[in-house]
Amino acid sequence: MTLVLQPEGGRRDRRRNLMVALILLVVFLFALAVFLLLIQGGKAPRAGLPRVLGDDAGKARFDRAVSPVSRPIAVAVSPDGRRMYVAESAGAYAVQVFETKGSPIAAMSPPHTTETTRQPMGVAVGTDGTVYVTDRRLRQIMMFEADGTYRDVLRPAGIDSWAPLAITVDRDGLIYVAEALDLPELQRHRIYVLQPDGVVVRQFGQKGDASSDLMFPSSLAVDGLGRIWVGDMTGVKVFGPDGVFKFRLRTEGEGAVALPGGMAVRNNEVYISDSINHRVVIYDASQDAVVPAGGFGTLGDGKGQFRYPAGIAISDSRIYIADRENGRIDIWTP
Amino acid sequence: MKRFKLLGVIALGAVIVGAGLVTWATPAQANGGPHGNFTLTTSSCAGCHRAHTAIGPDLLKSETVYGLCTTCHAGVAQTDVVHGQQVGTGKTLNGGGFEQVRGGAVSSSHTVEDLPVNGTPATGAGTAWGSQDGVGDGGVGVQGTLECTSCHNPHGSTNYRILRDASTTAKWVPNDPDLLSWVSYQVLATRDDAPNYAFDVTTQADCPVIPSTGTTPTPTPGPGTKCMSRFTSGVQSVTGQPSIIDPLKGMNAFCATCHKSYLTMSGGPGFNSLNTPEATVGPGTPTRIPSVIYPGTQDALDGHGEVARYRHSVGRTKGSPPKQPLRFAARGNDPNPPGTLQYDAMGCLTCHFAHGTNAAATPAAGDTIMPGPAADSALLFYDNRGVCISCHQTVGVPATVTPAPTNTSVPPTNTPTATPVP
């Protein structure tokens, strides 16, 4: 199996697609069987104790965990690396503010809301320290001061009604938002690039079967080359800074990401939490062709383990992972 | 050589399993999603299965089903079953919610494994009230670990909510294959799609015409018109094919696969359910003709081995439905074209949510006549006996009007401004 990605083009002939897929399936299953027989003596790994292939266990080291947080779904760190913002998808449904050392500072929520009327699902910090929170129920992006004071909503200029889900901010302070809505009358599976004042710089993406199409985009990252990484229900898709589709990551084999829960960038590497495989996968994104560069984590509730890792954030010296079902933020050292 | 043969067999087996899953899973719902609609690409499996193990039970990398399903169904996908609402509109889902619904915390639910109950993940171990075998005492019923996949088939089924047919719920109902095959047939035949959220009472477009009752003229839909929501217990939607399915029984049959005391047989007039002769069973599929076996409440046994005569007869049409906001199942022997459907049959989902409710249960003190689950809202739509009052409009309200809202937390919204109820 090659390690490089297979870039996939646009829509293809359906039948051919089917044939190719069938052959691939056969080959894959065959390889699986070979693998199991030869490497593991025919014994499948026990459920609950997944083995992660090709992972470099030395890639990052577990440092400590911060808890309790109620089913954390997203996490962000301030530019100075001193504060951590955690969006909870249960309990108080608040964004909890911690010192990255671990002590809680505050909980922030939009005014006049309760735990049954708000639902934060994405969080990002702007270059100026502004905290952006996407809320699934309010269908808004809320802006907070670094200290947790509510400021205002952020809307894309000219768009009255939207349903933002994921958010990230690039080095230049541009804001990237993934919207996912699938009502019979309105289907939006797309990405916006916004200025902090709400002016829409770019928007792209729609629902469909092609590799370039999106299906409930729910995580985002911008790499060192300005490429936009979009995680959705079918995997990870990478677009150029201009929004033109480049390639998608494989969903089988080494470096495969099944259901991305969050993404973040450190130097030239993209860290992706692979939710249902309970691990973090790393890609080297320094070149045009991106290659898997290891990963870490296994299923469990112990140190260095995850149960459905979701959002992920990176400061210079630490990796923060929202360990959803373990109810904690895991902090790793690269 | 020997090893290669073995490999071949394994690979072939794997392909067969895969292909079987793929061909068998015909699209169930129009809304898409990763279930059913499988194209033969491995990525459609990767969403839920890990890459590096054998085909088999280990295929699923995620440790719990609740965690897996809620990775998508708690705010990402359109149907947020954890909070009981449709993302974007906030409309209440038909099934209610597992942790929140209608702006409140859930008071009773189908407690699936890992569902947080008072902060602690549930084991999912449960006993479905209703007899073990469908003929015995009405009390303790089948037992097992309840998961999303106890009820839904993640790979799709022909049922419109990808519900499992009874044969694949075997761990819950191991006996009487004959009966089960009939039940399966009913569940899988209920394949017409229906909205997965409650109609919004304020929008005209969502309002179906409420059938007239007797001398009362049929109300015309319009803003503010009280809508009768409905659930499709399902219809067979193969055009031009005469239907041998009685569509309204699909959902009741489904519930009765676990709550087996509702899996009763009922004959025509003069037969009670239990002595309907097996000899009347006709050939072919279904092996027992629908008029012989009705999953329903009408002949279910009570806890003392008696047939409870005045239970509500689900699965039967009422002729004309009372005008109130509970949902009704469709009826019609050959429901094509769909326009001919009447939503006037009572079913389990007329009174119950499938997932969870926030209704309150505050039984009168000293109520010993009906020692039911005290302070248990039993997945009911409304507080206390609100569902009963909804039809038996006993609280001084004209019969054609929505009942007085005796329940405070959950108004049976007939006012345009209120939150939609299922």
Side-chain angles (χ1 to χ4, degrees), chain A residues 14 21 28 32 37-38 45 50 53 71 93 115 119 136-137 139 182 216 251-252 258 276-277 307-308 324, chain B residues 7 39-40 46-47 50-53 58 61-64 67-68 71 74-76 78 80 83 85 88 99-100:
Chain A
R14 247 196 126 75
F28 166 69
L32 243 176
L37 275 172
L38 299 186
L53 282 190
R71 231 188 276 148
Y93 292 84
E115 60 273 17
Q119 191 180 358
R136 205 66 176 135
R137 286 206 185 181
R139 289 178 61 175
D182 208 71
F216 294 93
T251 53
E252 297 287 346
I276 69 156
N277 289 316
R307 285 172 67 219
Y308 298 96
R324 199 184 82 208
Chain B
L7 282 181
T39 46
L40 255 169
R50 63 166 143 169
H52 293 295
T53 53
D58 286 353
K61 185 163 188 176
S62 306
E63 57 164 350
T64 69
L68 169 67
T71 300
V76 178
Q78 214 49 51
D80 177 349
H83 307 98
Q85 60 163 354
E99 298 181 34
Q100 288 181 357

Side-chain angles (χ1 to χ4, degrees), chain A residues 6 18 29 37 52 93 105 113 198 203 295 299 301 309:
Chain A
Q6 345 152 265
L18 218 70
L29 292 172
L37 275 172
V52 179
Y93 292 84
I105 302 174
T113 59
Q203 75 189 46
L299 170 63
D301 56 11

Side-chain angles (χ1 to χ4, degrees), chain B residues 190-212:
Chain B
T190 59
R191 62 179 127 187
D192 217 24
D193 195 20
N196 49 26
Y197 55 88
F199 286 113
D200 181 343
V201 285
T202 61
T203 55
Q204 182 177 349
D206 280 342
C207 287
V209 178
I210 301 174
S212 65

Side-chain angles (χ1 to χ4, degrees), chain B residues 73-95:
Chain B
H73 286 285
V76 178
Q78 214 49 51
T79 47
D80 177 349
V81 301
V82 171
H83 307 98
Q85 60 163 354
Q86 188 187 48
V87 168
T89 63
K91 288 177 180 174
T92 305
L93 291 181
N94 287 341

Side-chain angles (χ1 to χ4, degrees), chain B residues 369-384:
Chain B
I369 301 167
M370 289 290 289
D376 184 341
S377 57
L379 291 161
L380 290 165
F381 276 152
Y382 300 133
D383 293 355
N384 299 319

Side-chain angles (χ1 to χ4, degrees), chain B residues 32-257:
Chain B
H35 321 285
N37 272 330
F38 289 138
T39 46
L40 255 169
T41 58
T42 43
S43 63
S44 71
C45 310
C48 297
H49 293 285
R50 63 166 143 169
H52 293 295
T53 53
I55 298 279
D58 286 353
L59 197 66
L60 195 72
K61 185 163 188 176
S62 306
E63 57 164 350
T64 69
V65 174
Y66 189 72
L68 169 67
C69 306
T70 57
T71 300
C72 293
H73 286 285
V76 178
Q78 214 49 51
T79 47
D80 177 349
V81 301
V82 171
H83 307 98
Q85 60 163 354
Q86 188 187 48
V87 168
T89 63
K91 288 177 180 174
T92 305
L93 291 181
N94 287 341
F98 281 97
E99 298 181 34
Q100 288 181 357
V101 61
R102 302 184 293 201
V106 158
S107 54
S108 73
S109 66
H110 269 120
T111 318
V112 292
E113 183 180 8
D114 245 27
L115 176 75
V117 178
N118 300 325
T120 313
T123 62
T127 303
W129 184 88
S131 68
Q132 293 274 355
D133 50 10
V135 291
D137 190 276
V140 176
V142 290
Q143 296 172 317
T145 302
L146 201 55
E147 292 174 320
C148 308
T149 47
S150 306
C151 294
H152 297 283
N153 187 336
H155 304 124
S157 82
T158 51
N159 177 279
Y160 74 119
R161 292 284 179 258
I162 57 172
L163 292 173
R164 271 186 192 286
D165 59 300
S167 59
T168 54
T169 321
K171 60 184 168 186
W172 285 92
V173 274
N175 57 334
D176 199 348
D178 198 21
L179 188 60
L180 290 182
S181 81
W182 181 84
V183 168
S184 296
Y185 189 58
Q186 293 293 335
V187 174
L188 293 180
T190 59
R191 62 179 127 187
D192 217 24
D193 195 20
N196 49 26
Y197 55 88
F199 286 113
D200 181 343
V201 285
T202 61
T203 55
Q204 182 177 349
D206 280 342
C207 287
V209 178
I210 301 174
S212 65
T213 42
T215 54
T216 318
T218 305
T220 37
T225 306
K226 176 162 57 70
C227 294
M228 183 180 65
S229 293
R230 56 182 192 182
F231 64 94
T232 316
S233 67
V235 294
Q236 193 191 32
S237 54
V238 183
T239 321
Q241 192 178 304
S243 173
I244 46 164
I245 311 289
D246 191 342
L248 58 83
K249 293 188 223 74
M251 187 60 77
N252 304 332
F254 167 75
C255 304
T257 55

Side-chain angles (χ1 to χ4, degrees), chain A residues 42-66:
Chain A
K43 269 186 235 132
R46 280 207 304 124
L49 291 175
R51 274 172 50 98
V52 179
L53 282 190
D55 285 352
D56 175 0
K59 199 66 200 175
R61 198 164 38 78
F62 177 74
D63 182 358
R64 62 184 190 278
V66 173

